Amino acid sequence: MKSKMLIGNWKMNKNQIEIKKFSKTFLKLIENKPLKKIIFGFAISSINLLFTKELFKSNKNIIISAQDAFYKENGAFTGCDSWSQIKSAGIKCSIIGHSERRSMFNDTDEIINKKIISLTNNGMKAILCVGESLEERENNSFVKKIKYQISEALKNISFDAIKNLIIAYEPIWAIGTGKSASSNDAEEICKLIRDEIRKMYNEKIANDIYILYGGSVNLSNIKEYLNMPNIDGGLVGGASLIPTDFYKMGEII
Ligand code: PGA
């Protein structure tokens, strides 16, 4: 059976002292009782990526991911980190298209597509985030919205490149609000995403691709999500900041 995946999205949280403390506690838990069926990962602010990678180096299975990567290799783009700079620093993964980047930093579907192409064509993993607003959920246009985001993000992504993609369904109204989607609603959209991938690619790719749910995931609701057939893991914000909680999530699923 496929391993489950838990990615902690730390957003703009934790300084180096706090990361050190977290890694010490988390690694101790993993060393005392390794969870072989769980792939853990952390998406870290770029300033702390290498620092964190070094702290977690004793456990090769933990994914250290960026939170964004620009699609150009280099140039006059003040404040950006390019996919190739991230890759050359030994980081092999980045979140792309998180709703906070879509809404606050003007990451359009076209830009997101370019970022995904640049990562996945260059052997890096991309965690694509999609999700609807509260308005779109309430006026029932959410299915259309998710299908649109998927088809735009995956334009010109080859059969080889798609193998480097992870998709996270994160309804915007559930992020950081304490209001999570019901496990049935989350399953409905994760299944829809898998069906879209099947149509665009093939059965094997659709089965192999990791589809995560994110949005107010915590210790008390994680198991319910992960019991769903099309939810392979979680993209966890707030609840991933506490090492014991995040480890326990892996332990109970
Ligand atoms: P949350 O964040 O778990 O704090 O809702 C999830 C995310 O934004 O990835």
Side-chain angles (χ1 to χ4, degrees):
M1 227 185 49
K2 205 163 152 186
S3 301
K4 302 288 185 194
M5 184 180 282
L6 287 176
I7 307 288
N9 176 13
W10 282 0
K11 311 190 179 188
M12 203 177 68
N13 291 300
K14 291 201 189 292
N15 61 31
Q16 297 201 344
I17 296 166
E18 291 162 336
I19 298 176
K20 216 175 197 168
K21 218 168 138 197
F22 182 106
S23 67
K24 217 171 150 188
T25 311
F26 191 79
L27 285 173
K28 203 176 269 172
L29 290 164
I30 292 269
E31 275 152 27
N32 286 346
K33 186 178 165 203
L35 303 175
K36 296 211 177 73
K37 285 273 171 211
I38 310 290
I39 302 164
F40 280 109
F42 298 98
I44 311 286
S45 302
S46 59
I47 186 73
N48 287 326
L49 272 170
L50 292 186
F51 178 77
T52 310
K53 187 171 178 266
E54 181 64 23
L55 288 174
F56 280 104
K57 73 173 178 210
S58 63
N59 192 316
K60 296 275 177 285
N61 299 322
I62 294 175
I63 299 168
I64 301 297
S65 169
Q67 297 178 358
D68 187 43
F70 198 53
Y71 57 84
K72 298 265 190 187
E73 271 200 77
N74 45 50
F77 302 99
T78 303
C80 293
D81 298 308
S82 78
W83 66 266
S84 62
Q85 289 175 315
I86 295 171
K87 184 175 176 173
S88 80
I91 303 294
K92 299 186 183 93
C93 180
S94 180
I95 293 180
I96 297 294
H98 189 279
S99 63
E100 286 150 18
R101 291 217 53 93
R102 290 179 189 256
S103 66
M104 290 187 271
F105 303 97
N106 199 31
D107 267 12
T108 62
D109 288 307
E110 194 187 339
I111 291 171
I112 288 163
N113 175 243
K114 287 183 177 163
K115 288 180 176 178
I116 293 195
I117 290 176
S118 68
L119 288 169
T120 56
N121 275 350
N122 287 291
M124 295 172 75
K125 297 243 176 259
I127 305 170
L128 164 69
C129 298
V130 296
E132 80 283 1
S133 66
L134 185 58
E135 196 189 343
E136 289 158 339
R137 164 76 36 188
E138 285 175 349
N139 69 20
N140 262 326
S141 61
F142 58 97
V143 166
K144 203 168 134 204
K145 171 71 177 282
I146 303 298
K147 281 188 178 174
Y148 181 77
Q149 284 184 328
I150 293 287
S151 71
E152 291 300 297
L154 299 190
K155 266 187 189 159
N156 301 316
I157 307 287
S158 69
F159 275 67
D160 260 351
I162 191 75
K163 292 174 189 151
N164 291 325
L165 194 74
I166 294 161
I167 301 177
Y169 167 53
E170 296 207 307
I172 300 166
W173 49 272
I175 295 176
T177 58
K179 257 199 255 169
S180 48
S182 74
S183 49
N184 284 326
D185 288 345
E187 165 65 14
E188 181 198 356
I189 299 298
C190 292
K191 179 177 183 309
L192 173 100
I193 294 170
R194 203 177 298 284
D195 290 344
E196 290 302 295
I197 299 293
R198 187 176 295 110
K199 277 188 240 161
M200 295 167 81
Y201 297 91
N202 60 36
E203 185 70 29
K204 178 162 170 39
I205 288 174
N207 289 339
D208 289 351
I209 196 166
Y210 272 85
I211 302 179
L212 316 178
Y213 168 74
S216 297
V217 171
N218 58 42
L219 199 46
S220 41
N221 61 20
I222 184 78
K223 199 170 164 60
E224 221 185 295
Y225 293 119
L226 272 289
N227 278 339
M228 293 292 168
N230 286 288
I231 304 180
D232 302 314
L235 182 56
V236 187
S240 73
L241 296 170
I242 304 158
T244 43
D245 277 15
F246 196 50
Y247 173 82
K248 272 191 207 148
M249 281 190 194
E251 208 177 18
I252 63 173
I253 58 179

